[in-house]
Amino acid sequence: MKEYRDHYFLKAKQENYPARSVYKLKEIDARFHIFRRGMRVLDLGAAPGSWSLGAGEMVGPAGLVLGCDIQPARTEFPPHVSFMLEDVFDRSAEFEAKLDEIGPFDVVMSDMAPSTTGNKFTDQCRSLELCQEAFELALARLKPGGAFIVKIFMGPDIQELLTPMRKAFTAVKTFKPKSSRAESKETFFVGMGLRP
């Protein structure tokens, strides 16, 4: 994979984050004020661990963050942040038990991305599928009033996610962080205020 030696890449190295993606989460929070101390957060597609670390800082030691991914996380987490090797499409009983134990969650966030093929439409379809799976899990595991942050590759089918999100949340915003690469098709949808 080509490494981009840009400002955010270097900043992540200096600040001991495993990836530059943490700055996207920080920009989302600066704009929408999602995170507070003591919150419980579920991080889907968490590897290599930057979002889990960032959320862990924002919720503080009184909060809890549970990250999962099919790839191992390449980082050490503080005690209030835990990580499980897990496939969100095929969840183990152990993972479901952990969700029961920690949840319901104040925030469910997904930085999941498909393995890209280079075919724009295939990649967009796969991205949408991941987003829909994350959304279903968020509906099942969020507290009323909770928030959902999800990365999507923009394409013609985004209404298949936006329409149900608008029914489920009192506000849904679209946001492209400055720390996203200019050539990237990724955008974030942020659902706030889950309706009971």
Side-chain angles (χ1 to χ4, degrees):
M1 198 171 95
K2 182 177 169 191
E3 292 286 21
Y4 289 76
R5 305 271 188 233
D6 64 8
H7 165 72
Y8 292 104
F9 175 87
L10 297 169
K11 189 172 154 89
K13 283 266 176 276
Q14 285 166 346
E15 296 182 357
N16 291 318
Y17 293 112
R20 68 201 294 288
S21 56
V22 68
Y23 303 110
K24 299 173 195 176
L25 188 66
K26 290 185 176 200
E27 279 185 68
I28 290 166
D29 191 55
R31 170 68 72 88
F32 301 112
H33 311 292
I34 304 283
F35 296 93
R36 289 187 305 283
R37 296 284 176 189
M39 281 184 157
R40 289 169 182 243
V41 179
L42 177 59
D43 182 10
L44 307 173
S50 282
W51 272 33
S52 291
L53 280 176
E57 288 166 13
M58 293 187 273
V59 301
L64 285 172
V65 179
L66 173 60
C68 72
D69 202 309
I70 54 173
Q71 309 280 339
R74 302 192 310 263
T75 191
E76 281 193 33
F77 294 111
H80 66 291
V81 178
S82 56
F83 178 86
M84 292 178 78
L85 211 54
E86 195 65 43
D87 183 348
V88 296
F89 286 96
D90 185 21
R91 297 187 286 279
S92 66
E94 184 191 3
F95 185 61
E96 292 286 356
K98 193 79 172 167
L99 293 175
D100 288 339
E101 178 194 327
I102 296 180
F105 295 89
D106 300 284
V107 181
V108 172
M109 56 188 192
S110 168
D111 194 31
M112 290 192 289
S115 298
T116 50
T117 62
N119 179 312
K120 193 170 79 170
F121 297 107
T122 303
D123 294 344
Q124 287 168 351
C125 280
R126 289 183 177 176
S127 170
L128 178 63
E129 281 174 15
L130 288 173
C131 293
Q132 288 169 322
E133 190 67 25
F135 177 58
E136 290 302 317
L137 192 53
L139 290 182
R141 295 292 179 172
L142 273 176
K143 292 177 182 170
F148 175 53
I149 302 165
V150 64
K151 175 169 78 184
I152 188 163
F153 294 170
M154 293 300 274
D157 303 331
I158 58 165
Q159 292 305 327
E160 290 181 33
L161 179 65
L162 272 180
T163 301
M165 276 185 71
R166 287 194 175 116
K167 288 189 180 127
F169 294 93
T170 55
V172 177
K173 304 291 183 185
T174 303
F175 186 64
K176 171 113 177 172
K178 286 194 194 70
S179 49
S180 280
R181 296 192 182 98
E183 72 275 14
S184 170
K185 295 282 175 265
E186 71 181 20
T187 290
F188 292 84
F189 294 158
V190 182
M192 293 168 285
L194 181 70
R195 300 179 202 275

